[in-house]
Amino acid sequence: MAHVLVLGGGFGGLAAAHELRRRLPRGDEVTVVAMSDKFFVGFAKLWDLAGLRPLLDGTRPLERLANRGINFVQAEITGIDPAGHTVETTAGTLTGDGMIVALGATYRPANSALLGDGAFNLYHAAALPGIHAALEEMTEGRVLISIMGAPYLCPPAPFEATLLLEERLRKEGRRDRIDVTVSTPAPLTLPVAGPDASRYLADQLVERGITVLTEHHVESIDHAAGVVRFDRGRTVECDLLLAVPAAAPPPVIAASRLAGADGWIEPNKRTFATSAARVYAVGDCTLIRTATAQLPKAGVFAEAAGRIAATNLAADLYGGVRLTFDGYGFCFLELPGQQVATVTGDFYAKPRPDVRLTPPDTASFAAKQQWEQDRLTDWLD
Ligand SMILES: Cc1cc2nc3c(=O)[nH]c(=O)nc-3n(C[C@H](O)[C@H](O)[C@H](O)COP(=O)(O)OP(=O)(O)OC[C@H]3O[C@@H](n4cnc5c(N)ncnc54)[C@H](O)[C@@H]3O)c2cc1C
């Protein structure tokens, strides 16, 4: 009887756990270990921010994994021994016959250290009540949405947040007194999608009176004065800062033998195998190099990798089919008025990713809603 440990209960971990459950004999055990006892899709935070739907409505408890014959242990993983397929956790030591590592990413500490006091982490669910309170109090001034570094999760999300927030302020009749500005350290809004898609997105922002600052690196924040200082001596005054810190590898991964020089795991980009036998790594905790940069840190890719890794681990244990990832995927780009565009294509193509923007429509918005519901239902009903 085999026992597989799935580290993490996000996109990668849940996709892997269910695929393992499908492929392994009934008597084998699949155990998901995660710090958080809940799952929601990342974009549900933006719907909450925009006042479209509370985050709780799209949140499901991981204890429901038991209904599908998958064990769930809520604990913090404090050590990983890949060769022994063992993890140290706050709930004790767990050992399996194979392991899928899907621990996501955390935030770059130097970026997080700049936040607080009117400067919120836009991506952090726990920041939402504070953001709402600050927004409700605001009658005039400026909201600055600022990407602090790269890589960061889901490249379009800060711009989607900007557009949805602008729409909210407009609906509430406050937009004429509140300026909306978005900044990025990159030369384009969406480098991963190329210049055409970036220009399209910048046009969408500018058409709505949003100021777009490219090549702006946040250096410091003067909370008392309400000033964000960028490189080259540039400053922007703001009354509310919604910041997106750069992603960083979870410390437990950076400290493990699985980590490469930068602290991320760099598995095989097609099979997601790591250097340790029967240990796979998927999702945001990995660094997958592409021809020009790296595979975006997105749930779509974490999920695809989770399924492939699970299939390959099942084959390691019992033989059978093996799968490889072809690099194809997509990112949603949500625009106001319940419109969604997608950036779709081959992210592994050479000499550069071959991805295209499909124009926005309401059918794609409905598909995005359905995409979320399918995952909540298939994984955690
Ligand atoms: C605002 C926003 C919008 C987004 N929109 C999209 C979108 O439209 N499309 C898209 O594809 N992606 C989107 N994303 C990105 C997406 O949410 C992430 O890329 C995805 O969640 C990554 O999946 P993962 O499984 O690698 O990690 P996660 O989903 O982050 O899961 C990590 C898991 O590991 C657990 N964990 C971490 N450290 C430990 C530890 N030490 N011990 C125990 N457990 C631990 C966590 O509790 C969690 O269960 C968005 C993200 C944000 C923030």
Side-chain angles (χ1 to χ4, degrees), residues 7-14 32-46 62 75-78 102-105 107 122-124 153-154 156-158 160-161 250-252 282-286 296-303 330-333 368 371:
L7 314 187
F11 272 94
L14 292 178
V32 171
V33 190
M35 212 150 48
S36 167
D37 62 349
K38 297 177 192 65
F39 172 78
F40 47 79
V41 308
F43 57 66
K45 288 182 237 178
L46 303 187
L62 292 181
E76 181 178 354
I77 297 161
T78 53
L103 289 177
Y107 304 108
L122 170 66
Y123 276 15
H124 199 24
L153 270 50
C154 189
E160 295 176 300
V252 69
V282 302
D284 288 358
C285 65
T286 63
K297 294 196 181 297
V300 167
F301 295 113
E303 176 183 336
F330 69 93
C331 294
F332 294 116
L333 171 58
K368 178 176 175 176
W371 187 85

Side-chain angles (χ1 to χ4, degrees), residues 278-301:
R278 299 193 307 284
V279 178
Y280 291 78
V282 302
D284 288 358
C285 65
T286 63
L287 167 57
I288 310 252
R289 294 178 200 276
T290 62
T292 52
Q294 59 175 275
L295 193 64
K297 294 196 181 297
V300 167
F301 295 113

Side-chain angles (χ1 to χ4, degrees), residues 139-184:
T139 51
E140 57 183 11
R142 175 177 291 123
V143 182
L144 172 64
I145 295 94
S146 193
I147 299 166
M148 300 177 88
Y152 63 91
L153 270 50
C154 189
F159 301 102
E160 295 176 300
T162 305
L163 287 161
L164 295 179
L165 192 57
E166 196 274 340
E167 186 187 38
R168 172 180 164 176
L169 293 172
R170 197 178 287 276
K171 277 188 194 157
E172 292 173 353
R174 296 189 280 163
R175 178 65 174 100
D176 53 340
R177 283 164 282 124
I178 300 180
D179 176 84
V180 181
T181 298
V182 60
S183 76
T184 172

